[in-house]
Short mmCIF file of all heavy atoms in Angstrom, two decimals:
data_model
loop_
_atom_site.label_atom_id
_atom_site.label_comp_id
_atom_site.label_asym_id
_atom_site.label_seq_id
_atom_site.Cartn_x
_atom_site.Cartn_y
_atom_site.Cartn_z
N ASP I 163 10.64 44.12 15.64
CA ASP I 163 10.63 44.54 14.25
C ASP I 163 9.65 43.73 13.41
O ASP I 163 9.08 44.23 12.44
CB ASP I 163 12.05 44.41 13.65
CG ASP I 163 13.00 45.44 14.23
OD1 ASP I 163 12.50 46.48 14.71
OD2 ASP I 163 14.21 45.20 14.21
N ASN I 164 9.45 42.44 13.74
CA ASN I 164 8.58 41.60 12.93
C ASN I 164 7.15 41.58 13.45
O ASN I 164 6.34 40.79 13.03
CB ASN I 164 9.12 40.16 12.88
CG ASN I 164 9.15 39.50 14.26
OD1 ASN I 164 8.95 40.17 15.25
ND2 ASN I 164 9.39 38.21 14.29
N PHE I 165 6.85 42.48 14.40
CA PHE I 165 5.50 42.55 14.96
C PHE I 165 4.67 43.47 14.08
O PHE I 165 5.04 44.59 13.79
CB PHE I 165 5.58 43.08 16.39
CG PHE I 165 4.26 43.17 17.07
CD1 PHE I 165 3.58 42.03 17.43
CD2 PHE I 165 3.70 44.40 17.36
CE1 PHE I 165 2.36 42.10 18.08
CE2 PHE I 165 2.48 44.49 18.00
CZ PHE I 165 1.82 43.34 18.36
N GLY I 166 3.49 43.02 13.64
CA GLY I 166 2.68 43.86 12.78
C GLY I 166 1.33 43.27 12.52
O GLY I 166 0.98 42.19 13.00
N ASN I 167 0.52 43.96 11.76
CA ASN I 167 -0.83 43.50 11.45
C ASN I 167 -0.81 42.17 10.72
O ASN I 167 -0.01 41.94 9.83
CB ASN I 167 -1.55 44.54 10.59
CG ASN I 167 -1.84 45.82 11.37
OD1 ASN I 167 -1.83 45.81 12.59
ND2 ASN I 167 -2.09 46.89 10.66
N GLY I 168 -1.71 41.29 11.12
CA GLY I 168 -1.88 40.03 10.42
C GLY I 168 -1.03 38.90 10.94
O GLY I 168 -1.19 37.76 10.52
N LYS I 169 -0.12 39.18 11.86
CA LYS I 169 0.74 38.12 12.38
C LYS I 169 0.01 37.33 13.46
O LYS I 169 -0.73 37.90 14.26
CB LYS I 169 2.04 38.69 12.94
CG LYS I 169 3.07 37.62 13.25
CD LYS I 169 4.41 38.23 13.54
CE LYS I 169 5.46 37.16 13.82
NZ LYS I 169 5.69 36.28 12.67
N GLU I 170 0.23 36.00 13.47
CA GLU I 170 -0.43 35.14 14.45
C GLU I 170 0.45 34.94 15.68
O GLU I 170 1.66 34.77 15.57
CB GLU I 170 -0.75 33.78 13.83
CG GLU I 170 -1.80 33.84 12.74
CD GLU I 170 -2.15 32.48 12.20
OE1 GLU I 170 -1.42 31.52 12.50
OE2 GLU I 170 -3.15 32.36 11.48
N TYR I 171 -0.18 34.98 16.84
CA TYR I 171 0.49 34.73 18.11
C TYR I 171 -0.36 33.79 18.95
O TYR I 171 -1.53 33.57 18.65
CB TYR I 171 0.73 36.04 18.87
CG TYR I 171 1.69 36.98 18.19
CD1 TYR I 171 1.23 37.90 17.27
CD2 TYR I 171 3.05 36.93 18.45
CE1 TYR I 171 2.10 38.76 16.62
CE2 TYR I 171 3.93 37.77 17.81
CZ TYR I 171 3.45 38.69 16.89
OH TYR I 171 4.31 39.53 16.26
N ILE I 172 0.23 33.28 20.01
CA ILE I 172 -0.47 32.40 20.92
C ILE I 172 -0.48 33.01 22.30
O ILE I 172 0.54 33.47 22.80
CB ILE I 172 0.20 31.02 21.00
CG1 ILE I 172 0.31 30.38 19.63
CG2 ILE I 172 -0.55 30.11 21.97
CD1 ILE I 172 -1.00 30.11 18.95
N ILE I 173 -1.65 33.02 22.93
CA ILE I 173 -1.78 33.42 24.32
C ILE I 173 -2.09 32.16 25.13
O ILE I 173 -3.01 31.40 24.78
CB ILE I 173 -2.90 34.45 24.51
CG1 ILE I 173 -2.62 35.70 23.70
CG2 ILE I 173 -3.07 34.80 25.99
CD1 ILE I 173 -3.76 36.68 23.67
N THR I 174 -1.34 31.91 26.18
CA THR I 174 -1.56 30.73 26.99
C THR I 174 -1.76 31.12 28.45
O THR I 174 -1.35 32.19 28.88
CB THR I 174 -0.38 29.75 26.92
OG1 THR I 174 0.78 30.38 27.48
CG2 THR I 174 -0.11 29.31 25.50
N LYS I 175 -2.40 30.23 29.19
CA LYS I 175 -2.52 30.37 30.63
C LYS I 175 -1.61 29.31 31.25
O LYS I 175 -1.91 28.13 31.19
CB LYS I 175 -3.96 30.16 31.09
CG LYS I 175 -4.92 31.25 30.64
CD LYS I 175 -6.31 31.00 31.22
CE LYS I 175 -7.27 32.11 30.83
NZ LYS I 175 -8.62 31.89 31.39
N SER I 176 -0.52 29.75 31.83
CA SER I 176 0.47 28.81 32.34
C SER I 176 -0.06 27.97 33.49
O SER I 176 0.48 26.91 33.78
CB SER I 176 1.72 29.57 32.78
OG SER I 176 1.40 30.50 33.79
N ASN I 177 -1.11 28.42 34.14
CA ASN I 177 -1.65 27.66 35.27
C ASN I 177 -2.88 26.83 34.88
O ASN I 177 -3.59 26.33 35.73
CB ASN I 177 -2.02 28.60 36.42
CG ASN I 177 -3.08 29.61 36.01
OD1 ASN I 177 -3.34 29.79 34.83
ND2 ASN I 177 -3.68 30.26 36.99
N TYR I 178 -3.14 26.74 33.57
CA TYR I 178 -4.31 25.98 33.13
C TYR I 178 -3.90 24.99 32.05
O TYR I 178 -3.89 25.30 30.87
CB TYR I 178 -5.40 26.91 32.61
CG TYR I 178 -6.73 26.21 32.42
CD1 TYR I 178 -7.41 25.67 33.51
CD2 TYR I 178 -7.32 26.10 31.17
CE1 TYR I 178 -8.62 25.03 33.35
CE2 TYR I 178 -8.54 25.47 31.00
CZ TYR I 178 -9.19 24.94 32.10
OH TYR I 178 -10.38 24.30 31.95
N ASP I 179 -3.50 23.80 32.48
CA ASP I 179 -3.05 22.80 31.52
C ASP I 179 -4.12 21.72 31.35
O ASP I 179 -5.20 21.78 31.94
CB ASP I 179 -1.71 22.20 31.96
CG ASP I 179 -1.77 21.61 33.36
OD1 ASP I 179 -2.77 20.95 33.69
OD2 ASP I 179 -0.81 21.78 34.13
N LEU I 180 -3.80 20.74 30.52
CA LEU I 180 -4.77 19.70 30.18
C LEU I 180 -5.16 18.85 31.38
O LEU I 180 -6.27 18.33 31.46
CB LEU I 180 -4.20 18.81 29.06
CG LEU I 180 -5.15 17.78 28.45
CD1 LEU I 180 -6.42 18.41 27.94
CD2 LEU I 180 -4.44 17.01 27.34
N SER I 181 -4.26 18.72 32.35
CA SER I 181 -4.59 17.94 33.54
C SER I 181 -5.72 18.60 34.33
O SER I 181 -6.58 17.91 34.91
CB SER I 181 -3.36 17.76 34.43
OG SER I 181 -2.95 19.00 34.98
N LYS I 182 -5.75 19.93 34.34
CA LYS I 182 -6.83 20.64 35.04
C LYS I 182 -8.12 20.58 34.24
O LYS I 182 -9.22 20.59 34.81
CB LYS I 182 -6.42 22.08 35.30
CG LYS I 182 -5.26 22.22 36.29
CD LYS I 182 -4.93 23.67 36.55
CE LYS I 182 -3.86 23.81 37.63
NZ LYS I 182 -2.57 23.22 37.21
#
Side-chain angles (χ1 to χ4, degrees):
D163 290 336
N164 63 350
F165 181 70
N167 292 340
K169 190 169 181 63
E170 293 183 347
Y171 295 89
I172 303 298
I173 299 172
T174 64
K175 292 184 177 181
S176 59
N177 61 345
Y178 192 63
D179 57 41
L180 187 55
S181 67
K182 293 182 175 64

